[in-house]
Amino acid sequence: MKLKFVDQQYQMDAVNSIVNIFEGCEIKNSLFTIDASQESNNSLNLEGEGISYFTGHANKVSIDDFTMLENVQHIQEENDIQRTKSLENKNFTVEMETGTGKTYVYTKTILELNKRYGFTKFIIVVPSIAIKEGVNSSLKATEEHFKEKYDNVVYNYFVYDSNHLERIRDFATSTNIEIMIINIDAFRKSFTDPEKENKANLIHRESDRLSGYKPIDLIKSTSPIVIIDEPQSVDGTKKSKEAIASLNPLCTLRYSATHKELYNLMYRLTPVDAYQENLVKHIEVASVTSNEASAKPYVKLMSVSDKGKTYSARLEIYVNNKKTGVIDKRIVTVKTRDDLWEVSNEVDYYKDSGYIVDNIDCFKDEESISFSNGEYLNIGETIGNVDDSVIKRSQIRQTIELHLNKELHYIKKGIKVLSLFFIDEVAKYRDYEREDEKGDYAIWFENEYNRLIQLPKYRALREKYADKISLDAEKVHDGYFSKDGKGRVKNSTGDGVSKDDETTYQLIMKDKEQLLSFDEPIRFIFSHSALKEGWDNPNVFQVCTLIETKDTMTKRQKVGRGLRICVNQDGERVLENKYNVLSVIANESYKEFASTLQKELESDNFKFGIIEPISFTGICMKQADGMTYELTQEDSQQIFNYLVENEYMTTKGKINSKYHTDKHEGIFNLPDKFESYTAKVMKRIDNLIKEIEVKDVSRKIPVKINKEVQLSPEFESLWNKIKQKTVYTVNMDIEKLKEQAIEQIRLMPRIKEDRIDSQITKVDINKQGVKDAGHQIRELNVVYEFEKPSYPDFIRRLQDATQLLRKTIIEIIAKSGRLSEFYVNPEEFIKQVSKIMLAIKKENLTEGIKYQKVNEYYEQVLIFNDEELYGYSERNVLEVDSNKNIYDHVIYDSVVERDFAIDAENDDDVVLYAKLPSAFKIDTPIGAYNPDWALVLNTENGEKLYFVAETKGTENINDLKGSEKKKILCGRKHFEVIDSGIQYEVVKELKGLRKS
């Protein structure tokens, strides 16, 4: 199989955020010569001089720094990012959450930069062998896709190898796109040990194979665009920064999910953005822990601390809740001489048993605690716990069971399910002291797998898919570890810098697509820390952490291996949310896992629940004059200041309780200047203070079809009334569109010619340092004479952008009276006009829509089924006891929906109601529309009324934002044309239907 790739809007936004930095740059060929007299057979001869040389080709930028800075600030404004004041040595940052395709994004960025500006030399710098292999594999996987997208453009990519320095000459002299992948250690070490003669330094040494040149000199002559993959691991030291600078980059592009330094942030896709927009799998946690209080003391050392005057330790112990009499595990803080009997509120297990803290050791790698009875614990170790092997074997069993449950359903969709185990020690999987070389984990896995696969519930898996998937326990799992010189697997640090590590990546990185195929029996992967970064697979659905105390991998690294959206056997992404759930099987509680993951995200510079001064930038509102206005960064700063001054928020951007109180009572308002934006500002605040939702497997509830209701005459009658399909046509009022476009183009801001500005800055030197004491900007119209611009076919360009007829566009431009400004600044004119036309077209698109019935119907068996349908108790699922609903539970998306379901359940006049599944979709010009409910109600005279209802926080659809409102209008027209006796209504609560 081959993975298939499609352009996604967020990826295009990330690409354009870099490419548009060079807006206005012309394609220019920059040449340099390389003396190659020692290799005349392969060189060109300069006529009359007898000099052999190579012609090198370099990147060249033709716009000045001021124009580039203007472009940067404009992009940042568009992306709701705080504008920077300098180019910071032309370092530009893209922040993208793990699993959202940053390698794809920067590969596409390379091709776009070449297409638009002619840049040809690119270097991808990586921190480890893992990422090096991952990048190389990604370039291979996407090559066919990108060549189709870019007219078979020739581009070469290679991994730097000091044994093949001739590739550096090819890199420098080629006129094609050249992409070199290089590990930072390949050219950093000479900065730390210039005398050391080893291959890592060959890049800085003169080479006979390059006519006496140093490879680094040829590289720097090309002025490459340097792309740093995971810069927090590449250039975090002074020596690393010097090494990057030695490449003489035209600019440096930095891509990661976890930046430590944000130079010129251009695009940001946060973990919450990716999670909420379903760009990655959702996460659920299966906790395998022992919580039963046994008749013996329990103590677990969580951490130690040397803060303050004395050492302290955090212990998990049994604690007596004296109000309820319940003993459960809690984390407490203790110091030397503390008695656990007293700390635990007199739990008998600790009485007279010598659990008095004798010593706490905080030295690095020796953190421990000892008690007066001689008991001793290192961090993570436990006294009185259930046997650790029982816990881990249970984790393995839980992983296999979750895996097989998904396999039953996913194979029908062509999705191969993979599970990944992270283990603490390779010997527990591969034990060379045993005859069969199987470690405990391998033995436990095969025993549990053989037992589970024989269960009756998996009969269909055994019978139907035995020809496609091997069910042999020995064949379905394998280990991916580093190997030593004898070919034996070994533990790895996971840093990915040693030669032994390469064996791991050659096995798993290069066979990613093979792993996705049903023809490959391996579905369970065991790994040490070697897979902590640089590798992931879209079909990893379970991540099991069989890790003990000294765990060097973060939870974010583990989860990151399985976040990508899954693919089927055709290599196509499967977007349905029900298939994109990552189960984490952890040997800790759900709360511990979620808490640690959130702390890791916060340590990676992501701030939960924080409002920033630019948070309200870009909010749009149509004003009384008919024009739509956007809040600028300056407006956002004023709103931020107002919230702080009125105690709705702290100076650090944390929302106070006063905001929630005033919002609930309906008295929250912004100053007069921004009053019309109040509702949208509140919505932005509410979105920003959301946190990632990690679901708890223990609360996962299967939702099943209520067959009695499904087969009832009431449901059959309801289904016959809503099953009709329709298609739509759009008859737009072109005259109205033209009038609106003419008016808005006439009122758009004046198009200005290109200019050069001068910024004069006053310097204030005081005890706080060198500060900007204020500046002013002046236009300098006579310092530089711009070349006469070329004039593109702007009518064709506007046609391509808007899909409007040529004559329509010509009429709009002519009547707007603004055509002369095209000749002032052609590109700015096209950009502003196309933006206006597209916005107006979208506004008018649904007004002229017409639906008509077709000879097609929704299939009940596809719409109403319970395959992989789950909810989570106390979160989004409501248990129903009556025979009114087609399911035994209602999965709701909001409090309004939950309350609607409760009212329907308790109302005697409701004969039947059903939450319409997401598969019930009505086509509209702005995306598929899924109504909320279908209902049957009794009337006072005994007749039945049939409804399709949309539940919103308001019954006035004019209060809804554009796309929501337009989809509802389309839904109404769809049901009107069906004319089957169905009433379609938008309501806030059930009683709203009675008014209809």
Side-chain angles (χ1 to χ4, degrees):
M1 66 167 291
K2 285 189 175 181
L3 292 171
K4 293 180 182 176
F5 301 90
V6 295
D7 285 330
Q8 299 179 81
Q9 188 58 52
Y10 74 91
Q11 292 176 333
M12 283 301 304
D13 292 342
V15 170
N16 290 330
S17 295
I18 293 298
V19 174
N20 290 341
I21 291 171
F22 302 94
E23 188 75 44
C25 193
E26 299 174 2
I27 296 178
K28 296 219 177 204
N29 196 11
S30 179
L31 306 177
F32 62 93
T33 59
I34 306 167
D35 181 6
S37 55
Q38 296 179 28
E39 300 181 63
S40 58
N41 290 336
N42 297 318
S43 61
L44 300 174
N45 195 300
L46 188 61
E47 185 178 354
E49 297 293 333
I51 299 174
S52 297
Y53 69 94
F54 292 108
T55 301
H57 295 265
N59 293 328
K60 185 175 182 180
V61 64
S62 61
I63 58 173
D64 56 66
D65 286 358
F66 181 81
T67 303
M68 190 179 290
L69 180 58
E70 271 199 331
N71 290 340
V72 166
Q73 292 175 335
H74 177 72
I75 296 163
Q76 290 171 327
E77 181 99 32
E78 290 283 313
N79 290 342
D80 294 345
I81 292 168
Q82 187 74 48
R83 290 190 302 261
T84 52
K85 295 182 180 180
S86 75
L87 294 177
E88 297 186 281
N89 292 324
K90 296 187 176 65
N91 276 271
F92 305 108
T93 299
V94 171
E95 183 179 305
M96 293 182 69
E97 174 59 350
T98 301
T100 57
K102 64 179 171 61
T103 311
Y104 179 94
V105 164
Y106 66 62
T107 305
K108 186 174 179 66
T109 300
I110 287 171
L111 298 172
E112 280 292 321
L113 287 170
N114 172 262
K115 178 181 177 181
R116 288 177 57 176
Y117 312 117
F119 300 140
T120 59
K121 303 300 163 69
F122 301 87
I123 296 177
I124 302 171
V125 183
V126 299
S128 66
I129 294 168
I131 297 179
K132 180 180 72 177
E133 291 294 343
V135 171
N136 197 35
S137 296
S138 178
L139 289 172
K140 287 179 182 176
T142 57
E143 185 171 3
E144 183 178 332
H145 164 77
F146 281 129
K147 288 197 171 179
E148 286 178 4
K149 299 283 291 183
Y150 288 90
D151 298 325
N152 284 314
V153 64
V154 177
Y155 66 95
N156 305 308
Y157 55 90
F158 66 99
V159 174
Y160 169 80
D161 184 346
S162 58
N163 291 319
H164 295 281
L165 293 179
E166 65 278 3
R167 284 299 285 115
I168 302 298
R169 183 179 59 206
D170 296 340
F171 177 85
T173 59
S174 172
T175 58
N176 300 319
I177 302 171
E178 292 287 333
I179 305 169
M180 178 168 67
I181 310 164
I182 187 168
N183 192 313
I184 182 66
D185 282 339
F187 64 105
R188 175 176 57 188
K189 289 186 178 178
S190 65
F191 287 88
T192 57
D193 189 1
E195 301 300 323
K196 193 171 182 181
E197 295 292 324
N198 59 27
K199 288 185 178 180
N201 286 326
L202 290 182
I203 198 168
H204 292 282
R205 290 164 51 194
E206 295 174 353
S207 171
D208 292 339
R209 284 176 283 172
L210 297 176
S211 304
Y213 283 97
K214 297 177 183 177
I216 194 70
D217 289 337
L218 292 187
I219 292 170
K220 69 168 59 174
S221 297
T222 67
S223 298
I225 292 178
V226 173
I227 295 168
I228 305 183
D229 196 324
E230 307 296 350
Q232 73 280 0
S233 300
V234 169
D235 69 347
T237 66
K238 181 181 178 182
K239 298 299 181 184
S240 297
K241 287 180 169 63
E242 290 175 359
I244 296 294
S246 75
L247 300 175
N248 186 34
L250 179 79
C251 68
T252 304
L253 311 179
R254 310 162 67 83
Y255 292 82
S256 178
T258 56
H259 292 279
K260 297 301 181 188
E261 299 174 288
L262 293 175
Y263 303 99
N264 280 321
L265 181 61
M266 304 304 301
Y267 178 81
R268 167 174 275 169
L269 181 67
T270 69
V272 169
D273 293 334
Y275 205 83
Q276 296 296 330
E277 294 173 27
N278 299 315
L279 304 179
V280 293
K281 290 192 188 85
H282 281 222
I283 303 168
E284 62 181 18
V285 178
S287 298
V288 181
T289 59
S290 171
N291 294 311
E292 295 182 4
S294 62
K296 58 183 179 180
Y298 168 84
V299 186
K300 181 177 182 180
L301 178 58
M302 310 299 293
S303 64
V304 296
S305 173
D306 61 355
K307 294 179 181 178
K309 296 180 180 179
T310 58
Y311 288 178
S312 63
R314 293 174 70 246
L315 301 176
E316 185 178 59
I317 64 172
Y318 293 136
V319 176
N320 182 15
N321 185 329
K322 292 194 172 181
K323 290 184 179 179
T324 63
V326 174
I327 294 175
D328 54 20
K329 291 178 181 176
R330 292 186 193 172
I331 294 176
V332 298
T333 300
V334 298
K335 298 182 178 64
T336 305
R337 306 314 304 160
D338 282 351
D339 188 335
L340 295 193
W341 182 65
E342 295 176 355
V343 174
S344 67
N345 287 331
E346 301 178 355
V347 171
D348 286 341
Y349 308 143
Y350 306 110
K351 187 176 182 180
D352 300 326
S353 57
Y355 281 100
I356 299 170
V357 179
D358 189 43
N359 184 57
I360 298 172
D361 195 337
C362 294
F363 289 105
K364 184 173 175 55
D365 297 326
E366 296 179 12
E367 297 94 336
S368 62
I369 189 170
S370 60
F371 299 95
S372 58
N373 60 6
E375 297 274 15
Y376 176 90
L377 287 174
N378 291 310
I379 285 183
E381 291 183 342
T382 306
I383 296 169
N385 198 17
V386 173
D387 186 352
D388 187 60
S389 64
V390 175
I391 296 289
K392 292 190 174 177
R393 184 161 185 159
S394 299
Q395 283 183 266
I396 291 172
R397 175 188 167 83
Q398 175 79 83
T399 304
I400 298 170
E401 190 168 5
L402 287 169
H403 179 112
L404 294 177
N405 288 342
K406 287 180 182 173
E407 211 162 46
L408 273 174
H409 299 288
Y410 288 22
I411 291 175
K412 302 172 189 176
K413 192 78 173 177
I415 301 169
K416 182 178 177 182
V417 178
L418 298 174
S419 293
L420 176 60
F421 294 90
F422 282 110
I423 68 175
D424 48 306
E425 190 178 351
V426 172
K428 291 185 178 177
Y429 180 78
R430 208 48 99 222
D431 188 347
Y432 292 107
E433 299 299 318
R434 295 177 178 173
E435 186 175 343
D436 60 5
E437 296 188 353
K438 291 180 182 177
D440 288 344
Y441 293 161
I443 293 169
W444 296 343
F445 173 86
E446 291 176 10
N447 290 341
E448 294 294 342
Y449 183 86
N450 283 327
R451 191 161 65 83
L452 285 167
I453 197 64
Q454 295 304 320
L455 292 177
K457 68 184 289 188
Y458 303 123
R459 181 181 294 118
L461 196 61
R462 295 194 303 273
E463 294 174 355
K464 192 172 182 180
Y465 299 102
D467 58 330
K468 292 183 181 179
I469 300 177
S470 170
L471 298 178
D472 186 336
E474 289 190 344
K475 293 182 179 178
V476 299
H477 71 100
D478 202 358
Y480 289 82
F481 312 110
S482 300
K483 292 183 179 180
D484 60 21
K486 297 178 182 179
R488 291 190 170 194
V489 296
K490 64 169 200 170
N491 289 338
S492 167
T493 63
D495 294 332
V497 296
S498 74
K499 269 294 178 188
D500 288 340
D501 284 338
E502 296 223 27
T503 57
T504 308
Y505 310 122
Q506 287 168 357
L507 281 168
I508 197 164
M509 301 284 188
K510 297 178 182 178
D511 293 337
K512 179 186 287 190
E513 293 177 349
Q514 181 182 334
L515 276 172
L516 289 167
S517 170
F518 285 147
D519 296 330
E520 170 56 60
I522 295 172
R523 282 127 63 211
F524 298 89
I525 300 163
F526 286 80
S527 176
H528 195 244
S529 54
L531 296 189
K532 71 194 301 183
E533 62 182 1
W535 180 88
D536 50 27
N537 190 295
N539 285 17
V540 169
F541 290 97
Q542 285 73 232
V543 173
C544 178
T545 56
L546 302 172
I547 304 290
E548 288 187 347
T549 53
K550 301 292 184 180
D551 184 6
T552 61
M553 292 184 66
T554 67
K555 286 183 171 48
R556 197 172 182 192
Q557 286 173 328
K558 295 167 191 166
V559 168
R561 307 290 68 80
L563 282 180
R564 287 188 183 275
I565 298 296
C566 64
V567 299
N568 59 24
Q569 289 301 288
D570 295 322
E572 299 166 335
R573 298 165 80 244
V574 179
L575 299 176
E576 290 101 316
N577 289 343
K578 67 179 182 180
Y579 294 109
N580 285 294
V581 178
L582 175 66
S583 302
V584 180
I585 299 89
N587 51 5
E588 60 187 329
S589 72
Y590 159 73
K591 286 184 178 180
E592 286 176 317
F593 182 92
S595 174
T596 304
L597 179 59
Q598 179 161 319
K599 286 175 183 176
E600 288 175 6
L601 289 167
E602 289 171 340
S603 70
D604 287 331
N605 291 326
F606 184 81
K607 298 175 182 177
F608 286 99
I610 297 298
I611 310 298
E612 297 180 284
I614 61 164
S615 290
F616 310 110
T617 306
I619 294 178
C620 298
M621 178 65 66
K622 186 175 284 188
Q623 302 296 344
D625 60 4
M627 291 291 289
T628 298
Y629 293 92
E630 272 189 14
L631 293 180
T632 64
Q633 289 194 5
E634 288 76 12
D635 294 330
S636 181
Q637 180 72 64
Q638 290 180 43
I639 294 172
F640 181 92
N641 294 342
Y642 171 83
L643 294 173
V644 172
E645 290 163 5
N646 288 272
E647 298 181 352
Y648 289 118
M649 185 174 69
T650 69
T651 55
K652 293 184 178 180
K654 199 78 173 175
I655 290 295
N656 292 327
S657 59
K658 183 186 176 187
Y659 164 77
H660 297 290
T661 301
D662 285 10
K663 176 189 168 187
H664 179 73
E665 295 179 359
I667 59 174
F668 174 81
N669 271 305
L670 295 177
D672 292 346
K673 180 181 177 181
F674 302 113
E675 186 177 4
S676 60
Y677 294 88
T678 300
K680 291 192 174 184
V681 166
M682 286 195 297
K683 186 172 183 179
R684 180 70 58 90
I685 291 172
D686 294 342
N687 285 337
L688 287 170
I689 61 178
K690 286 180 182 176
E691 296 183 358
I692 281 185
E693 176 186 45
V694 180
K695 297 167 183 172
D696 187 348
V697 167
S698 67
R699 298 184 181 276
K700 192 173 183 177
I701 297 174
V703 178
K704 299 297 181 183
I705 289 282
N706 187 330
K707 293 293 184 182
E708 185 178 343
V709 174
Q710 188 180 28
L711 296 174
S712 68
E714 288 85 359
F715 182 79
E716 188 67 19
S717 178
L718 174 63
W719 177 250
N720 288 333
K721 290 179 182 295
I722 66 173
K723 70 181 182 181
Q724 174 71 55
K725 284 190 174 183
T726 61
V727 295
Y728 70 84
T729 55
V730 176
N731 183 18
M732 231 180 342
D733 186 343
I734 293 296
E735 293 304 315
K736 179 182 176 184
L737 181 146
K738 287 192 288 190
E739 288 175 10
Q740 291 176 340
I742 290 166
E743 180 65 13
Q744 288 208 25
I745 293 171
R746 186 178 292 145
L747 295 173
M748 74 180 180
R750 181 173 68 87
I751 303 296
K752 296 181 180 180
E753 65 230 349
D754 285 332
R755 70 178 194 271
I756 293 178
D757 291 338
S758 170
Q759 179 170 301
I760 302 172
T761 304
K762 295 179 180 178
V763 176
D764 179 22
I765 302 176
N766 55 36
K767 292 181 179 178
Q768 283 72 45
V770 180
K771 301 290 184 181
D772 180 347
H775 58 265
Q776 62 185 48
I777 296 176
R778 299 183 299 175
E779 291 187 14
L780 303 180
N781 296 317
V782 295
V783 173
Y784 182 86
E785 185 176 343
F786 286 90
E787 296 177 2
K788 186 177 180 181
S790 57
Y791 301 115
D793 180 355
F794 73 96
I795 301 297
R796 180 188 59 77
R797 293 266 299 275
L798 292 172
Q799 266 189 288
D800 292 342
T802 65
Q803 303 302 307
L804 294 173
L805 293 176
R806 189 176 181 89
K807 67 176 184 178
T808 300
I809 294 172
I810 291 172
E811 182 179 348
I812 290 171
I813 300 299
K815 291 184 177 180
S816 72
R818 303 293 293 271
L819 176 59
S820 61
E821 292 178 47
F822 166 73
Y823 300 100
V824 173
N825 192 331
E827 290 301 324
E828 185 65 18
F829 181 89
I830 293 170
K831 183 167 69 173
Q832 295 300 332
V833 170
S834 63
K835 186 176 180 181
I836 289 171
M837 286 184 172
L838 280 170
I840 292 171
K841 181 184 174 184
K842 188 175 180 181
E843 280 288 320
N844 286 272
L845 205 54
T846 54
E847 292 185 11
I849 195 169
K850 182 179 180 181
Y851 282 86
Q852 60 186 55
K853 292 189 282 188
V854 292
N855 191 28
E856 288 183 47
Y857 301 88
Y858 295 102
E859 294 183 39
Q860 187 183 139
V861 68
L862 297 179
I863 301 297
F864 289 94
N865 62 71
D866 53 11
E867 267 191 21
E868 284 297 291
L869 192 58
Y870 292 96
Y872 292 83
S873 64
E874 300 179 8
R875 191 180 294 274
N876 73 334
V877 68
L878 178 71
E879 185 176 0
V880 292
D881 298 322
S882 72
N883 287 321
K884 293 182 179 182
N885 200 294
I886 194 169
Y887 293 106
D888 60 0
H889 292 76
V890 174
I891 298 177
Y892 55 86
D893 298 323
S894 66
V895 174
V896 172
E897 288 186 2
R898 183 199 63 194
D899 292 344
F900 186 92
I902 292 172
D903 289 343
E905 193 68 18
N906 295 326
D907 193 318
D908 292 336
D909 290 336
V910 176
V911 179
L912 183 149
Y913 72 103
K915 184 82 163 57
L916 288 170
S918 59
F920 189 92
K921 294 176 180 176
I922 299 167
D923 287 333
T924 83
I926 52 176
Y929 166 56
N930 169 224
D932 288 332
W933 306 92
L935 301 95
V936 182
L937 269 67
N938 275 328
T939 62
E940 293 179 355
N941 57 15
E943 294 181 353
K944 289 183 171 58
L945 295 177
Y946 296 85
F947 289 92
V948 169
E950 182 72 26
T951 40
K952 295 293 181 187
T954 176
E955 292 184 358
N956 183 357
I957 65 171
N958 291 320
D959 292 339
L960 302 175
K961 68 179 182 181
S963 60
E964 277 187 313
K965 176 182 175 181
K966 291 182 185 304
K967 284 185 178 181
I968 286 172
L969 292 174
C970 289
R972 181 165 286 163
K973 291 183 179 181
H974 162 86
F975 287 107
E976 284 174 357
V977 80
I978 287 177
D979 193 26
S980 59
I982 280 284
Q983 298 183 49
Y984 175 84
E985 300 294 338
V986 178
V987 295
K988 187 175 181 180
E989 48 194 357
L990 181 66
K991 64 183 180 183
L993 293 179
R994 303 190 187 284
K995 303 174 186 175
S996 305

